[in-house]
C-alpha cells in the first residue's frame, strides 16, 4: 500500500514532468506543504476537512517521506501553529481569564453581605468599578521576541565596534598630527 504522498509524487511525475522537476529542487519543507494538499474542489480551492488526529501533526508524521527530520516537519507546520495561537489559543485564554475574574467578583459580592449580616454589600452588575486588566496574549510570539533580542544584541555589538574603530582612528590621527605616533 502506497502512502498518499508517494501516490501524489507518482501522479505528478507521470503527468507533469516539468512540475516534478521543479518540486525536486524545492526544500523539503516546501515539498511537505505542497504535497499534503489533496482535497481541492472543482475551482481548485482547498477544502479544509475537520481533523481526526490524536495530536497536531500526526498525519504529516505518518505520511512524510523517509529522511525528513522532526524539525523540518515542525517548520512546515509553523503557519498553522501561528494561526492557531493568534486565533484560538488567545481567545481561549481570554475566555478563561474573563470567567476567572467574574468568579472572583461574584465571591467578593457574596462575601460582604455574609459577614455584615446583610448590611454591607453591592451588586456586581450595578457597580462602576470595572476591572481593566489586559487579558489577551501578547501580539508577538516568544520566538519573534527572541529573534528581535538577538538582532538588537548584534546591532549593539556592531555599533560598539564602529565606535571603538572611530575612537582609535581619531586617536591615531591626533597622534600622527602631533608627531607622537609609534612607528
Amino acid at each position: 500500500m502506497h502512502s498518499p504522498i508517494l501516490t501524489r509524487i507518482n501522479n505528478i511525475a507521470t503527468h507533469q514532468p516539468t512540475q516534478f522537476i521543479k518540486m525536486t529542487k524545492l526544500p523539503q519543507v516546501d515539498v511537505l506543504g505542497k504535497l499534503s494538499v489533496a482535497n481541492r474542489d472543482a475551482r481548485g480551492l482547498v477544502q479544509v476537512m475537520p481533523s481526526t488526529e490524536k495530536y497536531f501533526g500526526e498525519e504529516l508524521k505518518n505520511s512524510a517521506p523517509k529522511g525528513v527530520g522532526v524539525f523540518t516537519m515542525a517548520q512546515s507546520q509553523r503557519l498553522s501553529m501561528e494561526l492557531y495561537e493568534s486565533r484560538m489559543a488567545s481567545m481561549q485564554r481570554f475566555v478563561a481569564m474573563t470567567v476567572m475574574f467574574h468568579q472572583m467578583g461574584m465571591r467578593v459580592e457574596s462575601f460582604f453581605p455574609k459577614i455584615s449580616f446583610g448590611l454591607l454589600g453591592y451588586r456586581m452588575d450595578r457597580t462602576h468599578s470595572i476591572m481593566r486588566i489586559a487579558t489577551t496574549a501578547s501580539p508577538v510570539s516568544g520566538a519573534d521576541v527572541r529573534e528581535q533580542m538577538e538582532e538588537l544584541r548584534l546591532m549593539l555589538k556592531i555599533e560598539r565596534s564602529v565606535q571603538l574603530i572611530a575612537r582609535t582612528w581619531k586617536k591615531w590621527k591626533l597622534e600622527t598630527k602631533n608627531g607622537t605616533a609609534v612607528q
Side-chain angles (χ1 to χ4, degrees):
M1 181 175 163
H2 291 289
S3 73
I5 289 182
L6 292 177
T7 305
R8 182 111 165 123
I9 288 173
N10 189 30
N11 290 342
I12 291 171
T14 56
H15 299 297
Q16 299 157 342
T18 56
Q19 284 186 356
F20 178 74
I21 292 170
K22 288 179 186 176
M23 286 194 72
T24 58
K25 295 178 182 177
L26 290 174
Q28 289 178 335
V29 173
D30 293 337
V31 172
L32 287 173
K34 292 184 186 317
L35 292 178
S36 62
V37 178
N39 47 347
R40 295 185 182 271
D41 65 3
R43 296 179 297 171
L45 299 175
V46 176
Q47 299 300 307
V48 179
M49 307 305 286
S51 176
T52 58
E53 298 177 326
K54 292 179 183 174
Y55 57 90
F56 184 69
E58 178 184 26
E59 183 180 325
L60 177 65
K61 181 183 174 196
N62 294 336
S63 62
K66 285 188 177 184
V68 176
V70 177
F71 291 108
T72 305
M73 286 188 281
Q75 187 179 4
S76 72
Q77 294 183 320
R78 181 179 174 143
L79 174 63
S80 56
M81 287 188 267
E82 286 179 359
L83 288 173
Y84 172 78
E85 172 60 33
S86 65
R87 305 312 192 274
M88 302 305 296
S90 61
M91 182 191 68
Q92 288 173 344
R93 282 192 299 277
F94 171 74
V95 170
M97 294 293 283
T98 303
V99 169
M100 182 186 75
F101 285 121
H102 184 268
Q103 183 64 32
M104 283 175 34
M106 290 295 291
R107 286 185 180 185
V108 169
E109 178 186 33
S110 64
F111 173 74
F112 287 106
K114 287 179 186 175
I115 64 164
S116 67
F117 302 108
L119 295 175
L120 299 176
Y122 69 97
R123 286 183 42 196
M124 187 170 65
D125 62 326
R126 306 284 287 175
T127 184
H128 291 282
S129 59
I130 300 169
M131 286 191 267
R132 289 180 174 85
I133 299 173
T135 57
T136 55
S138 171
V140 179
S141 73
D144 292 339
V145 171
R146 186 172 41 253
E147 288 172 5
Q148 289 174 355
M149 292 296 291
E150 181 64 22
E151 185 178 329
L152 288 173
R153 187 186 67 77
L154 289 174
M155 288 177 63
L156 181 63
K157 194 173 185 180
I158 290 169
E159 187 177 320
R160 285 180 180 165
S161 299
V162 168
Q163 289 174 355
L164 177 65
I165 291 169
R167 280 194 314 266
T168 306
W169 182 76
K170 285 178 183 178
K171 183 179 176 183
W172 176 81
K173 187 176 175 185
L174 183 63
E175 289 174 355
T176 305
K177 186 177 180 181
N178 294 335
T180 58
V182 178
Q183 299 274 329

